DNA sequence: AGTAGATTCCCATTCAACGGGAGTTCGAGT
DNA sequence: ACTCGAACTCCCGTTGAATGGGAATCTACT
């Protein structure tokens, strides 16, 4: 044994440690982290200690570990998600004020839909998406929009892999998804009734960049029985605003 | 020379690399990063390469480096700032809708005010605060509130250090700041006219936890000549909502 | 008092990380 | 076309920082 006989670099290990944290598991003991990251106990304690010293992780009074505020700060202050989010926020607020349901912003990341922001009114229903959470591309309205307006290579890659079923109504047949994508391209928006939870319908529109690809997706979660028309109209208007805001920022820089 | 003759661990270096990114400097070349982080060129290129492989940094088509989406995701999905932010967002939106000026949320971090969120209406004036940006405690309304309702040790520490002047009206005399803090405690809010920029006044209220300390600060940036009364009223109401939301979350967990 | 888990400490081993330096690529200036 | 500088890549001998098994200590719960 010596410097990483397991064949992974220090950087890899740090990432593995950070990956043990999830939206639902935000505090862990050092031993737990080690177990989940596949590190020997003594190593795990040392690595976690280093990260705490560096401020990337925080240790609370009981010795439990959580992700550090400093890491959030470093990651947030110069990241792309923040720029997109800031450009989209005013438009999202308007949508949210009018439609009064969950309003979301997602981008494409590693073949999944990554949610950058979510505004929720108290009266809106349940919603499994979370900020910094992910959903499969074929099973969410946001994902379908991102996929429909992405390059062909990505579409093939996604469709060639098994399509996970999240609810009885999730489309898992590649041919069916392909048809759905064609429909999304034709209509300029995606409607996903019950794909994730049977009680709700996702409605999404693309935010296009100048090459025509979807830079992001704006979406709203409606009850299944609600008419999607008014929300769609708001979303389309909002998408135009976001496109303008993003283009404006780019030009200025 | 060998494994870090400079005496810093790998973790330290990674943090130093991440620290070279700031809100205004979001893309750099690998060489620039190395120079700023104090790393030899070949080392810098290797370290940056590792971080890119791990997904913490992204390399664009021209070979320039920016902070990776993946880092944002890891840092955001389980961090404390996100929880506070989610609890505060609805209340902030209401303040923003009524006051129509920059509305901000800050917490105490390493003896400075760290801004977690900022909502801005298009018609509002300039504002130097940024999401994930920082301001000195004595020079911002948010900072004064955080400091006034913090423990005495922190107050002494901050006041014993030189107080930076951001504008001609920034209070830099420890005695003056001490008087100001007493006033903030008495009134339950802070007003900072022209402390940062001469044209604007910060107005802030504390979000208290059950021990009475300020868990966060809600603030609004007004033109200097605007009356602070209406904004203060909105802020106080919002702070109560946020306090309730935070307590509710804690209890549920 | 006993048990199980988390944590800290110790230390011999060793290979991954280090960085100087040489070479390559690229673009801007003349 | 040529020069110059900056950014980047590759090579390679050196070496000490990182590693992890094991034992001891410290909890907390029974």
């Amino acid at each position: 044994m010596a410097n990483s006989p397991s064949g992974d670099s220090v950087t890899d290990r740090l990432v593995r440690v950070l990956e043990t944290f999830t939206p639902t598991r935000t505090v862990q003991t050092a031993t737990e982290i080690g177990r989940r990251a596949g590190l020997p106990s003594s190593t795990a304690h040392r690595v976690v200690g280093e990260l705490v010293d560096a401020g990337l992780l925080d240790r609370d009074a009981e010795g439990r570990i959580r992700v550090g505020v400093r890491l959030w700060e470093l990651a947030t202050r110069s990241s792309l998600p923040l720029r997109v989010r800031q450009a989209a926020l005013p438009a999202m607020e308007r949508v949210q004020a009018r439609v009064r349901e969950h309003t979301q912003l997602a981008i494409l990341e590693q073949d999944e839909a990554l949610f950058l922001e979510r505004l929720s009114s108290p009266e809106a229903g349940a919603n499994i998406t979370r900020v910094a959470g992910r959903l499969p591309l074929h099973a969410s309205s946001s994902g379908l929009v991102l996929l429909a307006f992405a390059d062909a290579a990505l579409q093939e890659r996604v469709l060639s892999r098994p399509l996970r079923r999240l609810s009885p109504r999730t489309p898992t047949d590649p041919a069916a998804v392909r048809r759905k994508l064609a429909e999304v391209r034709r209509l300029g928006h995606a409607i996903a009734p019950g794909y994730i939870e049977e009680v709700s319908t996702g409605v999404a529109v693309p935010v296009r960049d100048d090459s025509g690809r979807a830079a992001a997706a704006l979406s709203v979660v409606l009850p299944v029985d609600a008419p999607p028309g008014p929300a769609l109209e708001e979303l389309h208007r909002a998408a135009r605003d976001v496109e303008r805001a993003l283009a404006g920022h780019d030009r200025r820089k």
Side-chain angles (χ1 to χ4, degrees), chain A:
Chain A
M1 85 216 70
N3 250 333
S4 282
S6 16
D8 45 352
S9 72
V10 177
T11 315
D12 290 337
R13 307 188 146 202
L14 298 189
V15 174
R16 286 226 306 281
V17 166
L18 294 181
E19 275 175 339
T20 63
F21 291 89
T22 69
T24 53
R25 188 171 61 231
T26 62
V27 288
Q28 306 179 82
T29 66
T31 307
E32 268 181 288
I33 293 173
R35 195 169 40 239
R36 277 190 246 269
L39 297 176
S41 173
S42 66
T43 302
H45 281 270
R46 181 169 35 78
V47 171
V48 167
E50 276 171 22
L51 287 171
V52 169
D53 290 342
L56 301 192
L57 298 180
D58 278 347
R59 198 194 303 272
D60 66 19
E62 291 85 44
R64 307 251 284 280
I65 310 296
R66 43 171 74 247
V67 172
V69 174
R70 180 151 189 65
L71 180 61
W72 176 86
E73 181 187 358
L74 289 172
T76 300
R77 69 182 183 189
S78 27
S79 72
L80 188 81
L82 183 67
R83 262 195 56 236
V84 176
R85 203 192 79 93
Q86 296 287 58
L89 204 50
M92 288 179 70
E93 281 173 27
R94 224 193 36 226
V95 172
Q96 221 261 333
R98 307 234 178 119
V99 181
R100 310 200 130 267
E101 300 283 356
H102 302 287
T103 306
Q104 308 171 330
L105 174 70
I107 61 169
L108 189 63
E109 170 72 7
Q110 294 175 331
D111 300 358
E112 290 186 294
L114 175 66
F115 287 82
L116 300 189
E117 183 56 287
R118 175 186 123 183
L119 302 179
S120 307
S121 44
E123 64 256 42
N127 182 349
I128 61 162
T129 62
R130 295 165 183 268
V131 173
R134 290 168 176 243
L135 281 178
L137 291 176
H138 70 283
S140 56
S141 61
S142 302
L144 287 169
V145 157
L146 292 171
L147 191 54
F149 297 99
D151 38 289
L154 173 66
Q155 292 172 20
E156 290 313 311
R157 189 164 63 239
V158 170
L159 289 172
S160 68
R161 281 199 284 252
L163 302 172
R164 193 148 54 96
R165 179 186 301 282
L166 300 187
S167 94
R169 298 184 64 185
T170 309
T172 55
D173 173 29
V177 174
R178 226 178 274 272
R179 250 177 285 127
K180 187 78 188 175
L181 290 177
E183 179 197 304
V184 171
R185 271 187 294 271
R186 199 176 61 245
L187 299 175
H189 64 249
I191 301 188
Y195 285 16
I196 295 168
E197 291 173 300
E198 292 204 79
V199 297
S200 54
T201 294
V203 180
V205 304
V207 175
R208 321 274 288 263
D209 59 22
D210 25 75
S211 76
R213 265 174 302 184
L218 282 171
S219 59
V220 157
V221 181
L222 302 174
V224 263
D225 49 354
L232 266 173
E233 203 174 311
E234 283 298 333
L235 284 174
H236 275 296
R237 192 195 332 248
R240 273 200 304 278
D241 289 351
V242 178
E243 282 162 5
R244 233 190 315 266
L246 280 174
H249 274 297
D250 289 346
R251 235 173 278 133
R252 246 173 263 148
K253 180 65 247 289

